[in-house]
Amino acid sequence: MAIYEPESPPFEMVERSDWGAVAPDPHPPSSWMPVNGGVVIHCLGQDRVAPAAHSGCFTLVRGLQKADMSVAGVEKLPAEPDISHSYLVCAHGVVFEGRGVLVRPFANEPIPGGNMRYYAVCALIGVQDSPTDALINAMNSLNTYLAGLEGHFAAGAELVPHGSASGSPGDGLRQAVESGSIVLPQRSGEEN
């Protein structure tokens, strides 16, 4: 049986090898069915962290992976096996590959079934940073890509702003989702 290999995305994406990801600890993608959910939008828990220079985004993503792999995770593991998010989007309009398409995330709790039914997309901004037009455009391109994948890897119809004690995803991202500036298009063949 061939493993599903999605087409290259139609937007600028920094692959794991290009941002300096370390190899993940093996972890099975059990119960991974985003077609039954959709996408959860996150931001970073600090107030203002969006790097001014794009080079800072690479440093930020590497730091997130290191932090996720060195602390106890939400699923009571000794540490996460990898970066917690599926994808990360910076203020400069570039998408960073996190866990990607074929591996379930570990960032969507306490949303019921969050890690089994949703992609985790993290904006590389803080809760008080405003999303840039470039970030919103890149996030919409990513969401279109995820909704257009095949089979059970396609994102379902829900676009959810993550809500937690950290304030994620911040007022700016939450407003962008609620106003329809950030969208998750329906897959072809689905009705509104």
Side-chain angles (χ1 to χ4, degrees), residues 116-168:
M116 293 176 275
R117 300 188 305 119
Y118 295 88
Y119 283 100
V121 176
C122 183
L124 295 176
I125 61 174
V127 295
Q128 293 183 8
D129 289 322
S130 295
T132 62
D133 289 343
L135 184 146
I136 289 172
N137 291 337
M139 197 165 279
N140 283 333
S141 294
L142 173 62
N143 290 344
T144 298
Y145 171 73
L146 293 175
L149 294 173
E150 293 181 12
H152 69 271
F153 293 113
E158 295 180 344
L159 181 65
V160 182
H162 185 263
S164 71
S166 70
S168 181

Side-chain angles (χ1 to χ4, degrees), residues 50-169:
H54 185 47
S55 59
C57 300
F58 289 78
T59 303
L60 191 55
V61 173
R62 285 190 298 271
L64 289 171
Q65 185 189 37
K66 182 177 179 181
D68 288 344
M69 293 179 76
S70 62
V71 298
V74 295
E75 304 234 355
K76 306 295 188 266
L77 298 172
E80 298 297 350
D82 194 1
I83 195 165
S84 294
H85 297 92
S86 307
Y87 293 92
L88 305 100
V89 183
C90 75
H92 307 94
V94 177
V95 176
F96 288 78
E97 180 183 32
R99 290 185 179 219
V101 170
L102 304 178
V103 183
R104 74 180 179 129
F106 276 85
N108 292 334
E109 296 300 338
I111 295 169
N115 288 329
M116 293 176 275
R117 300 188 305 119
Y118 295 88
Y119 283 100
V121 176
C122 183
L124 295 176
I125 61 174
V127 295
Q128 293 183 8
D129 289 322
S130 295
T132 62
D133 289 343
L135 184 146
I136 289 172
N137 291 337
M139 197 165 279
N140 283 333
S141 294
L142 173 62
N143 290 344
T144 298
Y145 171 73
L146 293 175
L149 294 173
E150 293 181 12
H152 69 271
F153 293 113
E158 295 180 344
L159 181 65
V160 182
H162 185 263
S164 71
S166 70
S168 181

Side-chain angles (χ1 to χ4, degrees), residues 159-186:
L159 181 65
V160 182
H162 185 263
S164 71
S166 70
S168 181
D171 290 341
L173 279 171
R174 185 173 272 96
Q175 285 177 335
V177 171
E178 291 172 355
S179 71
S181 295
I182 296 177
V183 297
L184 181 62
Q186 292 189 338

